[in-house]
């Protein structure tokens, strides 16, 4: 029986974190999908940091999970440390971070791909794209073989004309030891897409047996492990610690004395560096008043001796890297197993994309991940799911899969990219999300499960579970709002025990729960629910009551946001016909082609007056079309 085929519904190029989520999303929606990768042993690799999540990034991972993606589940299956960040702050900025066995993560994701329905996985290097009449038709790989599909998602990470820099040494590579992709970069450039260069990097890996860990502060996993995925019930991998130390003035002197040998400061690198994740050279130069910086040592795996030396990333020659590393207390005898390096690569300006992450110039061609100017596994995974879902939606004749800024962190990220663009590696922060109190980690599935189910990304069972949590939350909120706690000796003794003021009249339970020193679990000792309430509902109840005023304010802000978003800009509307706009604003509008007045309002340099002009012009245009 001949099962060979070279025609698919969706082709995904690249099996990093973006590519895996893109392929799995398209396949879940019922599309016959092909995932192509240069090396099947490097699927979902972790070349930079052996970790998933972190501030704001954890929210993205939870959203991927809520939409049926796999990053959180695979992270749970390979995690060797869990930490919840910002626990002393409010729920809006609390985020999960896992340290992972990177080889296990890769193997487990590969298994997911290999066993997924509607998904084929093949190893090859894509050389060019097949385009006819500004529509994608397929791809050609480096042996000349062709695969065809009406939708293609490109997720090339750092591989487009990738160049690894170690001092003056330049190596053409997508990552250290792996081939760069030059043909595909030229193919994208030939389409007239605006492209640029960016730079990222990774620190050295050290041999564990050569480190004096006693000179570092030990940081273990959280005592109470909270899985990343909403569907994970048990974590079975052993937990490993990380270790925190510091550089010193001597370390910084070595850097200053050798800056001319750095690829970054020696003029070898032209790409833009990440402002929010600087190399060690950048830290020393840009923060001269600091006499120390953190160095965090993390295991790369359960059975590995490699230690990831976070904080020591640089692009210096190896002999100088040894001087830098061994100047740190506890690393005097450290052996470098893999040197630090910087990597420079091509990206496509995200202003070339629609909100569906489809290129404006080539129909059916979608881009996701670092090719769009972002940094981080989590940003890539979220874009991959977004692009894969949109490729499938386009093929199936469904509306584009688009979440707005009030619905999800990934909606904030995509809107930032396609509306404002980026000239440096884009990283997600909680501060970018205006409605972050409503876009928390703990309610990602409550926000997105129904949308995921409607697009075929999640199953009915997940939606049913979310419905039960919402029902339990509403029921308990109703009970608490009707419950009045009456004063008594026992009640006031309880309040005094927990440093809370006594009461002399009946007080609504909601008012007591608003007190910072009191929690739901404490108050249930004096006003218990008639039936047990599940933990997820308890969390929602407590946040809803404690932050009621702030939540109401954000809902009011969202209403104003939605008023502008509802005013859609017809595709055939001409911005040149809107009299009263400056040439600069008109040029930006024609470049970005916003789909709503809300998106137009977020374009850099846009003014309230220009928005008023647009509103009037759009209204007049619609009236003229209705005559």
């Amino acid at each position: 029986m001949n099962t060979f085929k070279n025609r698919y519904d969706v082709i995904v190029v690249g099996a990093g974190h973006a590519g895996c989520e893109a392929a799995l999303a398209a396949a879940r929606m019922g599309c016959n999908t092909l995932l192509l990768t240069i090396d099947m042993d490097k699927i979902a690799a972790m070349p930079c940091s052996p970790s998933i999540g972190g501030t704001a990034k954890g929210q993205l991972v939870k959203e991927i999970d809520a939409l049926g993606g796999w990053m959180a589940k695979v992270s749970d299956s390979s995690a060797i440390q869990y930490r919840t960040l910002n626990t002393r702050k409010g729920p809006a900025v609390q985020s999960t971070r896992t340290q992972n066995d990177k080889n296990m993560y890769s193997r487990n994701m590969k298994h997911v791909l290999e066993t997924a329905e509607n998904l084929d996985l093949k190893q090859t290097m894509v050389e060019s794209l097949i385009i006819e009449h500004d529509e994608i038709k397929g791809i050609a790989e480096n042996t000349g073989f062709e695969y065809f599909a009406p939708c293609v998602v490109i997720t090339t990470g750092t591989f487009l004309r990738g160049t690894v820099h170690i001092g003056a040494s330049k190596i053409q590579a997508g990552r250290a030891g792996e081939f760069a992709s030059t043909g595909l970069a030229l193919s994208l450039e030939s389409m007239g897409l605006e492209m640029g260069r960016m730079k990222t990097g990774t620190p050295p890996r050290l041999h564990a047996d050569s480190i004096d860990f006693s000179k570092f502060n030990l940081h273990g996993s959280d005592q109470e492990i909270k899985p990343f995925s909403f569907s994970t019930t048990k974590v079975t991998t052993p937990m490993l610690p990380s270790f925190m130390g510091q550089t010193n003035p001597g370390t910084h002197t070595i850097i200053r004395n050798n800056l001319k040998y750095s690829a970054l400061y020696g003029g070898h690198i032209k790409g833009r560096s990440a402002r929010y994740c600087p190399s060690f050279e950048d830290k020393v130069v840009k923060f001269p008043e600091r006499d120390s910086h953190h160095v965090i040592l993390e295991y790369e795996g359960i059975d590995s001796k490699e230690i990831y030396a976070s904080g020591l990333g640089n692009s210096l020659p190896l002999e100088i890297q040894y001087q830098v590393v061994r100047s740190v207390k506890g690393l005097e005898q450290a052996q470098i197993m893999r040197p630090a390096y910087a990597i420079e690569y091509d990206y496509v300006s995200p202003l070339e994309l629609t909100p569906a992450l489809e290129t404006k110039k080539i129909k059916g061609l979608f881009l996701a991940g670092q090719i769009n100017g972002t940094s981080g596994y989590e940003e890539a995974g979220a874009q991959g799911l977004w692009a894969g879902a949109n490729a499938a939606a386009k093929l199936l004749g469904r509306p584009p899969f688009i979440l707005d800024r009030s619905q999800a962190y990934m909606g904030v990220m995509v809107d930032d990219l396609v509306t404002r663009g980026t000239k440096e590696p884009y990283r997600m922060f909680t501060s970018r999300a205006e409605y972050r109190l409503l876009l928390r980690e703990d309610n990602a599935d409550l926000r997105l499960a129904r949308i995921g189910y409607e697009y075929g990304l999640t199953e009915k069972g997940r939606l049913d579970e979310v419905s039960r949590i919402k029902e339990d939350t509403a029921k308990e909120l109703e009970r608490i709002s009707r419950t009045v706690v009456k004063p008594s000796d026992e009640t006031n003794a309880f309040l005094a025990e927990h440093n809370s003021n006594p009461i002399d009249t009946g007080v609504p339970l909601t008012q007591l729960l608003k007190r910072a020193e009191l929690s739901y679990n404490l108050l249930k000792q004096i006003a218990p629910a008639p039936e047990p309430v599940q933990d997820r509902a308890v969390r929602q109840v407590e946040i809803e009551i404690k932050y009621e005023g702030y939540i109401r304010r954000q809902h009011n802000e969202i209403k104003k946001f939605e008023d502008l978003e509802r005013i859609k800009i017809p595709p055939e509307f001409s911005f040149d016909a809107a009299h009263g706009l400056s040439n600069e604003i008109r040029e930006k509008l024609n470049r970005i082609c916003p789909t709503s007045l809300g998106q137009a309002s977020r374009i850099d340099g846009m003014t309230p007056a220009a928005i008023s002009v647009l509103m009037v012009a759009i209204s007049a245009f619609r009236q003229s079309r209705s005559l």
Side-chain angles (χ1 to χ4, degrees):
M1 179 179 179
N2 183 9
T3 58
F4 170 78
K5 60 184 177 184
N6 67 341
R7 293 185 180 275
Y8 291 85
D9 296 326
V10 176
I11 295 173
V12 179
V13 180
H17 301 279
C20 291
E21 296 295 350
L24 288 165
R28 284 200 304 283
M29 290 175 66
C31 292
N32 197 349
T33 305
L34 173 64
L35 176 59
L36 300 173
T37 179
I38 294 174
D39 186 349
M40 286 208 294
D41 293 327
K42 298 292 178 64
I43 285 172
M46 293 180 156
C48 182
S49 170
S51 66
I52 295 292
T55 303
K57 293 170 177 282
Q59 278 84 337
L60 287 173
V61 179
K62 290 280 192 177
E63 291 176 355
I64 293 170
D65 187 64
L67 292 165
W70 279 88
M71 180 173 275
K73 288 187 277 288
V74 175
S75 182
D76 285 332
S77 73
S78 60
I80 55 179
Q81 186 184 111
Y82 282 85
R83 295 187 76 86
T84 301
L85 308 182
N86 299 323
T87 55
R88 296 182 180 179
K89 298 181 180 179
V93 296
Q94 292 177 13
S95 307
T96 301
R97 181 187 186 273
T98 58
Q99 184 181 325
N100 293 80
D101 183 314
K102 69 175 189 179
N103 291 329
M104 190 185 299
Y105 186 100
S106 177
R107 288 196 308 271
N108 293 353
M109 183 65 85
K110 182 171 183 281
H111 177 72
V112 171
L113 296 169
E114 290 172 334
T115 56
E117 294 183 5
N118 305 319
L119 180 58
D120 286 349
L121 176 64
K122 297 183 185 295
Q123 178 171 299
T124 190
M125 178 181 282
V126 174
E127 189 70 15
S128 61
L129 302 176
I130 302 169
I131 297 168
E132 295 178 9
H133 307 296
D134 296 332
E135 289 188 17
I136 194 75
K137 297 298 180 181
I139 63 93
E141 42 111 295
N142 60 353
T143 68
F145 194 82
E146 297 175 339
Y147 292 97
F148 298 94
C151 290
V152 173
V153 183
I154 305 294
T155 68
T156 47
T158 60
F159 279 73
L160 289 181
R161 281 189 284 222
T163 304
V164 167
H165 295 268
I166 302 175
S169 174
K170 293 183 181 181
I171 306 164
Q172 299 304 307
R175 290 188 291 250
E178 300 180 60
F179 295 112
S181 177
T182 301
L184 183 55
L186 294 172
S187 184
L188 289 166
E189 193 173 52
S190 70
M191 299 174 199
L193 298 174
E194 181 186 340
M195 299 178 71
R197 297 283 277 176
M198 284 189 176
K199 170 261 175 189
T200 186
T202 189
R205 271 60 167 182
L206 313 177
H207 198 295
D209 292 346
S210 67
I211 298 171
D212 183 355
F213 289 106
S214 69
K215 303 292 179 63
F216 290 81
N217 295 320
L218 185 145
H219 286 254
S221 184
D222 286 346
Q223 291 296 313
E224 181 185 356
I225 291 177
K226 298 177 181 177
F228 230 140
S229 173
F230 293 109
S231 61
T232 299
T233 57
K234 186 177 182 181
V235 174
T236 58
T237 49
M239 297 294 107
L240 297 179
S242 55
F243 305 85
M244 184 173 289
Q246 291 184 320
T247 60
N248 54 66
T251 315
H252 300 189
T253 298
I254 295 170
I255 291 291
R256 293 190 188 97
N257 290 343
N258 291 281
L259 277 176
K260 62 183 177 182
Y261 301 113
S262 159
L264 181 61
Y265 283 91
H268 302 289
I269 294 176
K270 306 300 180 186
R272 294 292 294 269
S273 301
R275 182 190 315 183
Y276 304 106
C277 188
S279 67
F280 188 42
E281 303 111 304
D282 260 345
K283 292 178 185 177
V284 172
V285 171
K286 293 178 179 178
F287 304 100
E289 73 283 359
R290 295 280 299 273
D291 57 11
S292 68
H293 292 282
H294 288 309
V295 175
I296 303 173
L297 306 181
E298 297 180 302
Y299 284 96
E300 295 235 312
I302 295 170
D303 299 319
S304 174
K305 289 289 186 180
E306 286 190 73
I307 298 293
Y308 177 87
S310 176
L312 292 181
N314 66 82
S315 59
L316 292 160
L318 181 56
E319 61 270 23
I320 299 174
Q321 289 193 33
Y322 264 107
Q323 294 178 41
V324 171
V325 168
R326 291 184 169 182
S327 70
V328 176
K329 189 176 181 181
L331 301 181
E332 293 87 352
Q333 304 299 319
Q335 291 293 332
I336 296 177
M337 298 179 73
R338 305 191 203 207
Y341 63 84
I343 183 165
E344 198 176 13
Y345 57 94
D346 284 358
Y347 80 103
V348 175
S349 169
L351 295 180
E352 295 281 0
L353 305 174
T354 70
L357 296 184
E358 183 179 15
T359 59
K360 297 172 183 175
K361 291 185 172 72
I362 307 298
K363 293 179 181 178
L365 178 62
F366 297 80
L367 308 182
Q370 282 179 281
I371 191 173
N372 292 339
T374 59
S375 66
Y377 311 146
E378 304 80 8
E379 288 89 343
Q383 288 175 74
L385 185 147
W386 188 293
N390 273 301
K394 184 180 183 72
L395 188 75
L396 297 170
R398 302 201 53 191
F401 173 85
I402 295 174
L403 304 172
D404 66 39
R405 301 180 74 91
S406 70
Q407 293 175 299
Y409 266 73
M410 58 174 74
V412 173
M413 173 179 62
V414 171
D415 184 65
D416 280 350
L417 292 170
V418 303
T419 303
R420 296 172 178 147
T422 186
K423 296 295 184 182
E424 61 184 88
Y426 177 98
R427 180 178 179 180
M428 195 70 235
F429 292 104
T430 54
S431 59
R432 296 189 191 275
E434 305 93 321
Y435 315 115
R436 53 188 171 273
L437 182 54
L438 301 178
L439 306 182
R440 306 182 306 274
E441 266 200 1
D442 59 80
N443 69 357
D445 58 339
L446 308 184
R447 291 184 274 119
L448 302 175
R450 178 162 294 281
I451 295 172
Y453 175 71
E454 290 171 351
Y455 273 88
L457 290 166
T458 57
E459 297 178 348
K460 182 66 162 53
R462 185 67 237 161
L463 183 61
D464 291 341
E465 176 59 23
V466 163
S467 296
R468 283 191 291 271
I469 295 169
K470 288 183 175 181
E471 288 170 8
D472 287 356
T473 301
K475 182 178 178 181
E476 185 62 359
L477 281 170
E478 174 65 18
R479 182 191 75 84
I480 289 178
S481 68
R482 290 186 285 102
T483 300
V484 175
V485 178
K486 296 180 179 180
S488 69
D489 292 342
E490 293 80 6
T491 297
N492 283 331
F494 171 85
L495 294 173
E497 181 183 351
H498 295 95
N499 301 311
S500 194
N501 292 331
I503 57 176
D504 52 17
T505 61
V507 174
L509 184 54
T510 52
Q511 293 302 312
L512 289 180
L513 189 50
K514 286 179 184 292
R515 296 184 181 185
E517 67 276 9
L518 299 177
S519 67
Y520 178 97
N521 285 329
L522 282 175
L523 288 173
K524 72 180 182 181
Q525 297 178 41
I526 58 173
E531 298 176 359
V533 181
Q534 60 173 309
D535 290 343
R536 289 289 311 280
V538 167
R539 172 77 171 170
Q540 301 309 308
V541 166
E542 189 154 16
I543 291 173
E544 287 284 339
I545 291 175
K546 283 189 177 294
Y547 296 90
E548 180 184 13
Y550 298 103
I551 289 173
R552 186 185 302 116
R553 185 185 306 167
Q554 290 213 338
H555 279 301
N556 291 335
E557 292 170 354
I558 287 174
K559 186 179 182 304
K560 296 175 185 177
F561 162 81
E562 290 174 341
D563 288 343
L564 282 180
E565 290 298 312
R566 274 193 285 268
I567 302 176
K568 300 299 181 183
I569 300 176
E572 62 275 18
F573 176 78
S574 171
F575 295 108
D576 294 329
H579 302 294
L581 297 176
S582 70
N583 290 334
E584 179 186 1
I585 287 178
R586 186 176 286 110
E587 181 181 334
K588 288 181 178 180
L589 288 167
N590 282 318
R591 171 81 189 284
I592 296 167
C593 297
T595 59
S596 70
L597 206 58
Q599 186 185 1
S601 71
R602 294 186 293 276
I603 294 174
D604 288 338
M606 186 60 64
T607 64
I611 290 297
S612 297
V613 168
L614 269 181
M615 189 180 297
V616 171
I618 292 169
S619 177
F621 176 80
R622 284 187 174 139
Q623 289 177 6
S624 68
R625 295 296 293 267
S626 64
L627 295 177

